[in-house]
Amino acid sequence: MTSTLLRGRLLSFNRAPQSLTDAGSYTYETNGGLLIEDGRIVARGAYAEIKAKAPAETIEIDHRPHLILPGLIDTHLHFPQMQVIASYAANLLEWLNTYTFPEECRFVERAHAERIATHFYDELIRHGTTTAVAYCSVHKASGDAYFAEALRRNMRMVGGKVMMDRNAPQGLLDTPEMGYDETRAVIAEWHGKGRNHVAITPRFAITSTPEQMEAAATLAREFPDLHIQTHLSENHAEIAFTCELYPEAIDYTDIYARYGLLGRKSLFGHCIHLSEREADAMSEAGAVAVHCPTSNLFLGSGLFPLKAFARREKPVRIGVATDIGGGSSYSMLRTMDEAYKIQQLLGERLNPLDSYYHMTLGNAEALSLADRIGTLDPGTDADLVVLDAAATPAMALKMEVVKTLPEELFLLQTMGDDRAVAETYVAGKAVKTAL
Ligand code: GUN
Ligand code: ZN
């Protein structure tokens, strides 16, 4: 058994911060030690104390003066959209039809899916993201490529073969039966293999017939522990079209509820324009609204009411995500910078503790995976990110006047990107500098 001892400033959240001065919401060790064995964290504390406990042959890595945090988590992005990023479109539906659907057709080729999968994981690692929740394309081969590469890299990943059987090009359509059978095949081959989690993935109500929604409902009943992911209430034209397609539903959220898709393992991308009734329904079901700020700004979709959702009498659970390739950056730091600006436009404050909570423990809780990822707690997986707040000359200059941890976190969020990620650890192994 090999033991590794990391030295640096350790930051891990215990719960959602109530304010910028809520010191009980996190644990911060200024001269910390983190002992890792067999891919797990076994001890955390003051460096001297952990060093004294470490076996004699322990390998020591000194990351001072950098911060060591749990690996960042991205709860919504599209693996087949790496070459869709930066596509010039007026809105969501134009962007989907003009760029996104044609690009996803290419994933019928296993070799293409495998090539993109390699780049996909390289980018996650480069940006300090150690767990992500992705949509593959409709093709089973894309799911196979996605999970095979996750297994090879020993990363904890969630994902699903998209189900879609209408309102898209022929090359991107399955049928209710195919969607069901191929999702079952992906579950049988990949769920629980290595650190893989398969998600039931009807793309959104526009691209699934009621018959396919029934098939998704059956899968949800047959596999109640699996995540479910789809899109909800992103754009006004999308909402209007969706409600025309399902006239019997009260509203967009009700469509998913009618098919048994609204529950604690359900992740709904966007949720920008929900009514109070829909937000109540989400809250009562314990479903998660996933905020994708760079995407919402890029596609002009709207301003997500993150703070308003959190302080409701019936709060809505929240995840944060890049939504590549509607989103424009793989970086969760860039993502939270844009999330901050969206709250500013809404007259709200998103403080830096909140941001880092969301990128780590908050997203782990949104995935019901906080027992494994999202903290530096002993017993959990040693998925980590090492952040350097002086990574660029401009950041280093600003760091000269930074005095507190929240100030440093805010600088990292405001100016940081992959250059600020000094190292990424997956199950205790340094993987970024090895790229
Ligand atoms: N709604 C349905 N599919 C998509 C997608 O690929 N990206 C975004 N942003 N919204 C969607
Ligand atoms: Zn999406």
Side-chain angles (χ1 to χ4, degrees):
M1 181 180 61
T2 55
S3 303
T4 309
L5 175 59
L6 305 188
R7 185 173 190 179
R9 290 183 294 136
L10 307 180
L11 176 63
S12 176
F13 284 86
N14 307 315
R15 56 169 168 78
Q18 303 302 306
S19 71
L20 193 51
T21 53
D22 184 359
S25 65
Y26 62 90
T27 302
Y28 179 48
E29 284 283 352
T30 52
N31 184 9
L34 195 68
L35 187 63
I36 299 168
E37 282 169 9
D38 294 332
R40 302 257 170 100
I41 296 167
V42 292
R44 166 186 65 178
Y47 169 75
E49 178 200 319
I50 303 299
K51 168 91 175 156
K53 280 189 197 167
E57 71 283 11
T58 297
I59 296 163
E60 202 169 319
I61 303 169
D62 190 349
H63 283 298
R64 289 177 300 168
H66 303 334
L67 283 163
I68 303 175
L69 280 83
L72 307 180
I73 302 171
D74 183 348
T75 51
H76 180 126
L77 79 170
H78 297 258
F79 147 61
Q81 294 179 14
M82 294 192 80
Q83 293 179 304
V84 177
I85 300 173
S87 293
Y88 183 71
N91 56 55
L92 169 67
L93 297 179
E94 181 190 311
W95 174 84
L96 282 173
N97 290 316
T98 312
Y99 305 104
T100 308
F101 289 162
E103 173 63 23
E104 290 193 14
C105 288
R106 298 172 69 199
F107 286 74
V108 68
E109 298 292 343
R110 173 78 189 235
H112 179 68
E114 285 173 350
R115 170 175 176 248
I116 298 297
T118 304
H119 287 292
F120 183 77
Y121 290 98
D122 284 354
E123 282 313 312
L124 294 185
I125 288 165
R126 199 165 279 135
H127 289 83
T129 298
T130 50
T131 288
V133 185
Y135 290 63
C136 302
S137 72
V138 72
H139 316 98
K140 180 172 176 291
S142 75
D144 293 339
Y146 175 82
F147 285 117
E149 191 63 21
L151 184 67
R152 201 176 71 71
R153 302 196 191 215
N154 195 22
M155 290 174 73
R156 189 172 294 284
M157 296 294 291
V158 185
K161 174 215 112 68
V162 158
M163 301 168 75
M164 52 193 297
D165 67 344
R166 66 168 165 182
N167 291 319
Q170 195 56 42
L172 219 50
L173 298 181
D174 55 10
T175 63
E177 298 71 35
M178 259 176 84
Y180 174 84
D181 291 344
E182 293 189 349
T183 300
R184 280 199 66 126
V186 174
I187 295 166
E189 280 170 51
W190 296 111
H191 187 67
K193 198 162 185 185
R195 304 171 74 200
N196 285 334
H197 301 252
V198 175
I200 300 164
T201 311
R203 184 180 202 121
F204 65 160
I206 288 179
T207 48
S208 286
T209 58
E211 293 70 34
Q212 185 166 73
M213 295 290 271
E214 281 295 351
T218 305
L219 288 166
R221 274 195 307 275
E222 290 174 342
F223 301 98
D225 296 337
L226 260 55
H227 293 95
I228 297 169
Q229 58 177 345
T230 189
H231 295 85
L232 171 61
S233 200
E234 179 174 4
N235 161 292
H236 290 297
E238 171 221 14
I239 297 165
F241 186 28
T242 307
C243 292
E244 270 174 41
L245 293 172
Y246 290 88
E248 68 289 355
I250 317 168
D251 48 42
Y252 198 163
T253 303
D254 186 46
I255 299 170
Y256 295 126
R258 281 168 181 251
Y259 292 101
L261 300 177
L262 206 63
R264 288 194 64 77
K265 299 297 282 288
S266 304
L267 308 167
F268 291 96
H270 306 296
C271 299
I272 301 168
H273 309 288
L274 297 184
S275 66
E276 287 299 305
R277 194 214 75 78
E278 291 178 285
D280 281 351
M282 291 276 296
S283 176
E284 283 159 15
V288 176
V290 181
H291 180 29
C292 307
T294 71
S295 170
N296 297 166
L297 294 172
F298 182 79
L299 293 171
S301 301
L303 306 176
F304 179 87
L306 186 146
K307 282 301 213 181
F309 276 170
R311 69 161 174 265
R312 293 179 95 245
E313 197 177 315
K314 293 182 177 176
V316 178
R317 294 172 73 204
I318 292 163
V320 292
T322 63
D323 191 30
I324 293 297
S328 50
S329 172
Y330 289 90
S331 167
M332 288 304 297
L333 296 172
R334 306 287 350 105
T335 297
M336 294 317 296
D337 182 40
E338 299 302 291
Y340 172 80
K341 293 173 190 169
I342 288 175
Q343 294 314 297
Q344 289 286 81
L345 289 171
L346 290 169
E348 304 274 11
R349 307 302 311 281
L350 180 65
N351 79 53
L353 294 180
D354 247 352
S355 288
Y356 285 74
Y357 161 75
H358 277 298
M359 286 187 269
T360 57
L361 177 59
N363 270 352
E365 287 173 342
L367 300 180
S368 308
L369 287 174
D371 60 329
R372 298 265 36 95
I373 56 171
T375 67
L376 301 180
D377 294 350
T380 66
D381 302 349
D383 293 339
L384 314 165
V385 62
V386 181
L387 295 176
D388 174 7
T392 69
M395 290 172 79
L397 193 65
K398 168 70 188 185
M399 263 306 272
E400 289 177 9
V401 296
V402 161
K403 293 188 180 63
T404 65
L405 174 68
E407 284 175 9
E408 181 179 355
L409 295 175
F410 197 51
L411 160 60
L412 270 163
Q413 170 188 306
T414 307
M415 300 179 80
D417 52 28
D418 55 317
R419 292 169 296 179
V421 175
E423 187 57 279
T424 305
Y425 286 86
V426 169
K429 225 174 104 190
V431 288
K432 175 164 177 172
T433 47
L435 278 179

